Amino acid sequence: MEPAGALPPSCSPAPEAAEPPGSPALPAEERPSASAAQEARRRGPDPQGPAGRGARGGGGRAPARRGCEPGGRARRPRVTVDSSKAKTSLEALKISLRQLRWKEFPFGRRLPCDIYWHGVSFHDNDIFSGQVNKFPGMTEMVRKITLSRAVRTMQYLFPLEYNFYPRSWILPDESSFFEKEIRMMKDRDPSWKPTFIVKPDGGCQGDGIYLIKDPSDIRLTGGLQSRPAVVQEYICKPLLVDKLKFDIRLYVLLKSLEPLEIYIAKDGLSRFCTEPYQEPTLKNLHQVFMHLTNYSLNIHSGNFIHSDNVNTGSKRTFSSILCRLSSKGVDVKKVWSDIISLVIKTIIALTPELKVYYQSDIPAGKPGPTCFQILGFDILLMKNLKPMLLEVNANPSMRIEHEQELSPGVFENVPSPVDEEVKVAVIRDTLRLVDPQKQKKKDIQCQTLEHVSDTKEELLDAGPPDRLEHDANKNTEAGLPSLCLKQVFPKYAKQFNYLRVVDRVAALFIRFLGVKGTTKLGPTGFRTFIRNCKLSNSNFSMASVDILYIDITRRWNSMGIDHKESGMCWQAFVEAFFCLAQKKYKSLPLHEQVASLIDFCEYHLAVLDEKRLVCGRGIVERRNALVTCQTDGLQLTPAAHTSLLNRMATASKLADYRNHQY
Ligand code: ADP
């Protein structure tokens, strides 16, 4: 739906407050709630200015006939949004909805809504249609341990491409490995004096984080078994501004998983430490205001500066930092394109397992909502301007207020202009992008994504956030500013598609999961995978297959991530798959071994599918003639050959592509 402001003011649909309570034209739950009206009154005039006032019937214009535009055309229904579970993002969501003039249901609705806005996770209630602003499994996916594992899988395959994530070890599983590796590295280079940061899994806001100089300093009190953690190489040389360490919170919209669509907000927030930075020494390791950039920690420092100005204070816009760097001659275009690349690669690392969660919660063919999600990427710029990923947040704070201590012990929530500027724009523009009515229009116009992905734009052309461009493009859509979210995928797909190999492994895993609603592969499913892909032979018997399954599954299950289901989890399958690839294609580098095994499996599954298809067709055609179809000895029809040839051509194109890359 085009926001109402696209229509001449007199045609704009009436906002909530203009609907008389109890209007018989609307079902009860469509009537504006008292709280919505109160909220509208509290917020004051519509930020859309004259257009909004016109919509309220002000300025002496005759109100449009209910449900119709002048000329008798039916008015498009307003997009409906259930905000009853929005939690701390409610304030920013309300402002966004008012700007869009969409219909909010603050207490939920009996009828389905177009969009459900959840503050925490996908599983807030049962939804069978529309769109939800959370993906199933995302919270689990971006926990420190799961994220580290997903990125590590990609580091095994593409070490150079994934060097934006600090070297990490998982505790307690890899404690001894961590110790051994560090000892070895120190022996090799005695001048190496590393620092490590220990971060409890599932922690946030700096909770439980501490720095150490030696693996033996890991604190075992509190029980690592009860609270697993990630230990990471500490980035000792961050870029400083005003002598302070800072990080970047960047908002990323994962609009769709299949096909993959990613948008990045043109501006983010920079959160500053409140003590001048010094490289870590045994003396300053514990100084959190010097080493940790978390807002929730630094707000308690006497040095924290609240500022209404986006260029100063302890929380600033990222664009203000880029402006400053640019004035010092830094190539901010390159910084920005490196950040885009980091975001795309990270999402590519997350998508395979997300797809496993997705099919388990929303099995293909069953009614369910589609999903999108705003993610918060925490990025640190190193002194040499290389961006490093710290973590991904599934529920980035969308608060636009902060607590201020008026007098000792007396707190008040006061608006934070910096947060409001960035966060309202992100929510509003996310809604504009997932607008169901625009989506419908798009489908009708057959704007295929393939077309978009054909663009040959270079990543470097992405350019940094440009305030001027942003402002100049105001009024492009219904009086709203130009979108603050910039598409980066499929726009730059050509440069990153070669990294998407693990997605194809996930497709194999999902195919053999069998029973819908599960995320673990049983022994029969694994055997069927081996058989159907023709992976067993005289050197690799089915007995060895069973041993492989039991060994790997037992080890992963003993790590105690998820005991709800038995069977082989996704990460265990990845390990088994890599193991099979190494066995089968000995002399190649790992990513080529894996890609070759995927091609091999996909080929045999395609052959099998064609056989089944032909066999099924044959059975129908020859049922009366009582001809039995022997799958194994079957000759493929020319049609089947064509399809297989196409598949093989795709596989060889992929091989060419990979060769081209390396
Ligand atoms: P949390 O979820 O608790 O905020 P983070 O992973 O974001 O955990 O870490 C908290 C802070 O610690 C970050 O904002 C950053 O300032 C600092 N930090 C985290 N990891 C590193 C690292 N590898 N090197 C340097 N600083 C780090």
Side-chain angles (χ1 to χ4, degrees):
M1 167 177 155
E2 294 292 333
L7 304 169
S10 58
C11 305
S12 303
E16 290 91 325
E19 301 279 2
S23 161
L26 289 174
E29 70 269 30
E30 298 254 4
R31 280 177 225 140
S33 69
S35 79
Q38 267 169 11
E39 174 62 21
R41 276 196 295 277
R42 193 179 73 70
R43 275 278 167 189
D46 193 310
Q48 288 315 302
R53 285 192 291 280
R56 286 194 165 93
R61 287 188 182 95
R65 198 150 52 88
R66 220 189 128 64
C68 286
E69 290 174 8
R73 262 188 305 138
R75 197 176 67 194
R76 280 169 295 182
R78 283 198 288 169
V79 179
T80 53
V81 180
D82 179 337
S83 66
S84 60
K85 306 257 165 54
K87 303 217 161 134
T88 53
S89 58
L90 187 63
E91 277 294 302
L93 176 66
K94 275 183 184 294
I95 299 176
S96 306
L97 292 176
R98 244 193 322 277
Q99 291 182 6
L100 295 166
R101 299 205 199 97
W102 287 8
K103 182 98 182 94
E104 183 196 354
F105 288 85
F107 305 114
R109 190 191 190 200
R110 217 167 6 93
L111 296 173
C113 273
D114 295 313
I115 293 170
Y116 297 83
W117 196 272
H118 287 180
V120 181
S121 69
F122 175 79
H123 288 287
D124 283 351
N125 50 9
D126 287 334
I127 299 163
F128 302 102
S129 64
Q131 301 182 71
V132 185
N133 71 322
K134 298 279 187 258
F135 279 93
M138 184 66 91
T139 310
E140 290 81 354
M141 239 354 277
V142 298
R143 284 173 74 102
K144 292 178 173 59
I145 289 183
T146 334
L147 175 72
S148 299
R149 286 210 165 106
V151 175
R152 189 190 290 176
T153 299
M154 295 306 288
Q155 285 175 330
Y156 285 146
L157 295 170
F158 305 102
L160 290 181
E161 286 86 341
Y162 279 83
N163 65 5
F164 57 81
Y165 190 67
R167 208 168 350 180
S168 306
W169 297 263
I170 288 149
L171 303 177
D173 299 331
E174 297 168 0
S175 301
S176 51
F177 179 59
F178 168 54
E179 274 176 42
K180 221 184 279 167
E181 212 173 301
I182 299 308
R183 206 178 319 122
M184 258 170 49
M185 288 192 305
K186 280 184 173 174
D187 286 348
R188 231 180 286 143
D189 177 8
S191 68
W192 187 53
K193 300 267 180 280
T195 304
F196 305 97
I197 182 165
V198 184
K199 311 197 245 183
D201 189 41
C204 60
Q205 305 190 328
D207 171 37
I209 292 184
Y210 60 96
L211 305 189
I212 55 170
K213 279 288 193 186
D214 191 83
S216 61
D217 299 333
I218 287 176
R219 294 175 202 161
L220 291 164
T221 45
L224 271 176
Q225 285 296 351
S226 58
R227 203 166 184 198
V230 165
V231 57
Q232 213 169 58
E233 237 179 300
Y234 185 75
I235 299 155
C236 293
K237 293 186 190 302
L239 179 74
L240 305 181
V241 166
D242 298 335
K243 301 200 174 111
L244 299 168
K245 174 175 171 178
F246 68 96
D247 76 353
I248 308 156
R249 160 60 56 85
L250 209 62
Y251 297 95
V252 171
L253 169 66
L254 179 55
K255 184 168 174 272
S256 151
L257 201 52
E258 196 73 83
L260 187 58
E261 281 184 77
I262 309 169
Y263 289 75
I264 301 185
K266 288 181 185 174
D267 205 354
L269 295 169
S270 300
R271 291 131 355 145
F272 280 73
C273 277
T274 41
E275 292 279 347
Y277 183 78
Q278 287 166 14
E279 284 197 27
T281 61
L282 279 174
K283 276 195 183 148
N284 69 30
L285 279 188
H286 61 282
Q287 294 195 29
V288 289
F289 298 148
M290 176 186 287
H291 292 293
L292 307 187
T293 49
N294 298 80
Y295 165 79
S296 51
L297 293 175
N298 283 281
I299 186 115
H300 298 297
S301 150
N303 295 337
F304 192 93
I305 304 168
H306 288 287
S307 171
D308 285 355
N309 187 327
V310 293
N311 302 304
T312 58
S314 299
K315 202 188 252 188
R316 312 181 194 175
T317 57
F318 179 45
S319 55
S320 76
I321 306 286
L322 285 176
C323 275
R324 196 153 153 181
L325 293 176
S326 172
S327 71
K328 288 184 175 160
V330 167
D331 182 359
V332 290
K333 226 174 175 180
K334 164 91 170 68
V335 174
W336 192 240
S337 83
D338 288 347
I339 289 176
I340 292 177
S341 162
L342 173 154
V343 168
I344 296 175
K345 288 173 186 171
T346 305
I347 292 198
I348 286 177
L350 296 176
T351 52
E353 194 164 355
L354 266 182
K355 285 181 180 172
V356 174
Y357 280 112
Y358 198 89
Q359 67 75 39
S360 136
D361 273 277
I362 313 174
K366 286 221 175 135
T370 52
C371 304
F372 63 93
Q373 188 154 357
I374 298 171
L375 300 167
F377 273 64
D378 289 351
I379 295 167
L380 191 72
L381 281 183
M382 291 186 12
K383 198 173 174 183
N384 63 5
L385 297 167
K386 180 180 168 58
M388 297 293 284
L389 176 69
L390 296 180
E391 72 161 348
V392 181
N393 287 274
N395 293 312
S397 163
M398 285 292 164
R399 273 182 194 275
I400 51 173
E401 301 178 319
H402 63 80
E403 249 185 15
Q404 208 166 43
E405 194 166 12
L406 297 178
S407 55
V410 182
F411 292 91
E412 190 192 42
N413 277 341
V414 293
S416 165
V418 179
D419 287 280
E420 183 161 338
E421 173 169 333
V422 174
K423 295 175 184 174
V424 169
V426 169
I427 293 186
R428 181 196 61 224
D429 292 350
T430 293
L431 292 170
R432 286 161 83 185
L433 284 166
V434 301
D435 181 341
Q437 305 199 357
K438 257 196 216 144
Q439 218 100 302
K440 259 185 234 159
K441 227 195 265 174
K442 205 169 142 192
D443 290 346
I444 291 164
Q445 289 168 349
C446 292
Q447 271 184 2
T448 55
L449 286 163
E450 286 75 22
H451 172 73
V452 184
S453 67
D454 274 350
T455 51
K456 292 210 174 68
E457 196 170 349
E458 285 296 316
L459 197 51
L460 264 176
D461 292 342
D466 186 340
R467 191 165 286 280
L468 283 178
E469 176 205 5
H470 186 78
D471 290 341
N473 284 337
K474 273 190 177 170
N475 294 319
T476 50
E477 185 195 349
L480 295 168
S482 65
L483 284 174
C484 75
L485 293 162
K486 196 177 165 75
Q487 194 197 68
V488 294
F489 203 95
K491 190 170 184 183
Y492 306 120
K494 284 199 168 166
Q495 293 163 69
F496 296 94
N497 270 341
Y498 74 100
L499 299 172
R500 300 184 68 196
V501 275
V502 189
D503 259 12
R504 292 165 68 204
V505 181
L508 296 172
F509 182 67
I510 290 168
R511 177 178 169 132
F512 290 98
L513 275 179
V515 186
K516 304 281 188 211
T518 173
T519 54
K520 289 194 176 172
L521 190 61
T524 314
F526 190 69
R527 282 178 139 246
T528 314
F529 154 68
I530 297 284
R531 246 195 227 113
N532 288 3
C533 294
K534 305 243 177 292
L535 294 177
S536 70
N537 52 38
S538 51
N539 291 328
F540 187 53
S541 66
M542 285 315 277
S544 320
V545 169
D546 289 341
I547 292 169
L548 179 78
Y549 176 87
I550 291 165
D551 267 3
I552 294 184
T553 303
R554 194 177 288 160
R555 192 154 36 75
W556 279 89
N557 286 349
S558 73
M559 290 185 205
I561 307 156
D562 170 16
H563 291 301
K564 278 186 293 221
E565 286 178 67
S566 62
M568 182 180 247
C569 66
W570 157 250
Q571 288 291 347
F573 183 77
V574 172
E575 186 182 325
F577 196 88
F578 283 18
C579 195
L580 293 168
Q582 282 169 314
K583 225 183 204 136
K584 195 166 173 63
Y585 302 98
K586 290 198 172 66
S587 56
L588 299 173
L590 182 66
H591 71 270
E592 286 186 28
Q593 291 173 328
V594 171
S596 305
L597 187 64
I598 297 170
D599 289 345
F600 185 84
C601 293
E602 285 178 351
Y603 172 80
H604 284 289
L605 292 174
V607 172
L608 190 72
D609 288 346
E610 292 293 345
K611 278 183 182 177
R612 284 181 179 158
L613 197 73
V614 174
C615 182
R617 229 187 276 140
I619 286 169
V620 171
E621 281 166 9
R622 286 170 274 161
R623 187 173 282 154
N624 293 338
L626 295 173
V627 175
T628 320
C629 185
Q630 291 293 322
T631 316
D632 281 340
L634 201 80
Q635 291 293 310
L636 292 177
T637 61
H641 275 302
T642 319
S643 155
L644 274 176
L645 284 173
N646 286 343
R647 236 189 143 85
M648 287 167 74
T650 314
S652 92
K653 250 189 252 162
L654 270 164
D656 285 353
Y657 192 65
R658 277 191 301 274
N659 291 339
H660 181 68
Q661 291 296 324
Y662 294 94

